[in-house]
Amino acid sequence: MVDDVRAAVVREPGGTDVLGVEEVPDPAPGPGEVLVEVAAAGVNRADLMQRQGQYPPPAGESETLGLECSGVVAALGDGVEGWAVGDEVCALLAGGGYAEHVVVPAGQLLPVPRGVDLVDAAALPEVACTVWSNIFMSAGLREGELLLVHGGGSGIGTFAIQLARAWGARVAVTAGSADKLEACRGLGAEVLVNYREQDFVEQVRAATDGRGADVVLDVVGAPYLQRNVAVLAPGGRVAIIGMQGGRRAELDLGALLATRGVVMATSLRARPRAEKAAIVASVREHVWPYVEDGRVRPVVHARLPLDDVARAHEVLEESSHVGKVLLLTGGGAAAGGGGSAVDDDELGGTA
């Protein structure tokens, strides 16, 4: 094992120019942890916020960016069972993914699904855990219900569309361009709303004979709160996972009472490891079969080398992509999975 590894670093809070790649100490797994040789890391909007100094990692976690990765198990800490050196895995992280090596709690590892490329598997952990825990575990989306996804072209959005359709639900989306809406249609969305030109409450109610959406997955936050309640079907649920538009809003509680609705808000990164492990285990049991049979697939917009980390952040900030942007570490594990941009977030949540 080498003494140092390459990792993307944030020299100081700021724009993409503060990003660089440097040699850092090679991490070592502690009890219950696994060392992963990283093939690729997913780039998420939370990384952009951390780069800007707005979203620090939880206490005791890596300061390096990166909330998900894929790779190969390189070493096991004491007490780890069920994994072996050489296993191909992907992982949910609290940080550290933008590096050649990362230490992961064993409970946050997932096997690379059958039929998925090792590199592209890096596009799965954060979105799968976010979508499953919010839409299904918390909001309880049921077969035949309508899910409204804000930011349908994001990494979270593209995954949510596919999983909801595989589950037997209908899907409505908002997005900011015709191209993104068409991509969402190709993934199974039925109701397509250009939020720049149309009111999603009117469009969703028109498409459902006035009933509305049973579940809303929202990344915008404050500006959408009142309208998210207005679009709810009786007994509907709003799951808020982002605040891209702001954090403070007023809500007419009478409207919420009238629809017998529920508004919930969750985060994933700061949860205790035991809670993350429970979500990961549930994803492996309930979501991975859909990935392995091809009904749900990672949607990858671009794969860029680690040295192009600044460009990867720019792609997200430009908001012209559909799906995920991945960083390749350049290690041997990634050699077979590289590639150029794929035309398969503008509003995406944490992913």
Side-chain angles (χ1 to χ4, degrees):
M1 188 177 297
V2 297
D3 294 329
D4 294 298
V5 294
R6 299 175 75 246
V9 298
V10 179
R11 299 185 181 97
E12 61 184 2
T16 58
D17 59 316
V18 306
L19 292 165
V21 177
E22 298 178 1
E23 298 285 330
V24 301
D26 194 5
E33 296 179 333
V34 171
L35 180 69
V36 174
E37 180 184 359
V38 178
V43 180
N44 295 286
R45 286 195 177 271
D47 302 335
L48 277 59
M49 295 173 59
Q50 183 174 335
R51 186 201 76 219
Q52 295 162 357
Q54 300 174 7
Y55 191 34
E61 300 291 354
S62 173
E63 296 285 340
T64 300
L65 303 177
L67 301 181
E68 61 188 337
C69 73
S70 61
V72 175
V73 173
L76 304 175
D78 291 340
V80 173
E81 298 179 351
W83 301 101
V85 172
D87 285 347
E88 293 190 347
V89 296
C90 53
L92 180 71
L93 309 171
Y98 289 18
E100 291 177 332
H101 282 172
V102 66
V103 166
V104 185
Q108 292 167 218
L109 286 177
L110 286 157
V112 172
R114 291 189 301 273
V116 176
D117 178 84
L118 177 62
V119 163
D120 287 357
L124 292 172
E126 178 76 13
V127 295
C129 291
T130 297
V131 168
W132 179 252
S133 63
N134 284 278
I135 296 176
F136 295 91
M137 295 177 72
S138 296
L141 182 69
R142 295 183 287 271
E143 183 178 357
E145 289 190 325
L146 180 74
L147 168 68
L148 170 60
V149 179
H150 291 304
S154 68
I156 284 177
T158 54
F159 194 89
I161 294 167
Q162 296 179 83
L163 187 56
R165 292 293 295 128
W167 198 254
R170 302 173 60 205
V171 181
V173 298
T174 64
S177 71
D179 288 345
K180 290 188 178 185
L181 291 174
E182 192 57 37
C184 292
R185 185 199 303 275
L187 294 171
E190 302 175 38
V191 183
L192 311 172
V193 183
N194 187 325
Y195 71 86
R196 300 183 190 277
E197 302 172 357
Q198 300 169 302
D199 181 272
F200 68 80
V201 178
E202 295 177 356
Q203 296 299 313
V204 171
R205 289 207 171 275
T208 57
D209 296 324
R211 186 174 187 278
D214 297 286
V215 175
V216 179
L217 184 66
D218 179 49
V219 297
V220 179
Y224 275 15
L225 180 59
Q226 190 66 49
R227 285 195 289 160
N228 283 336
V229 171
V231 81
L232 284 182
R237 293 83 74 196
V238 179
I240 301 171
I241 60 170
M243 302 179 294
Q244 292 181 19
R247 59 189 300 168
R248 296 184 181 276
E250 291 188 359
L251 175 62
D252 179 355
L253 293 178
L256 189 62
L257 286 167
T259 195
R260 305 186 304 280
V262 174
V263 176
M264 63 190 79
T266 71
S267 64
L268 184 58
R269 186 184 194 185
R271 292 194 189 204
R273 289 185 174 185
E275 291 186 18
K276 291 181 185 178
I279 292 171
V280 167
S282 188
V283 164
R284 183 172 182 175
E285 178 182 359
H286 297 288
V287 179
W288 252 219
Y290 292 117
V291 179
E292 293 187 333
D293 71 15
R295 282 182 283 178
V296 177
R297 62 182 177 85
V299 178
V300 179
H301 177 82
R303 306 170 188 85
L304 301 171
L306 185 64
D307 288 308
D308 286 347
V309 58
R311 178 56 188 153
H313 279 219
E314 289 168 358
V315 171
L316 261 68
E317 291 175 340
E318 291 164 0
S319 294
S320 60
H321 63 293
V322 173
K324 299 286 291 190
V325 174
L326 303 180
L327 283 174
L328 310 180
T329 66
S340 58
V342 176
D343 292 328
D344 253 327
D345 90 85
E346 140 278 338
L347 280 180
T350 57

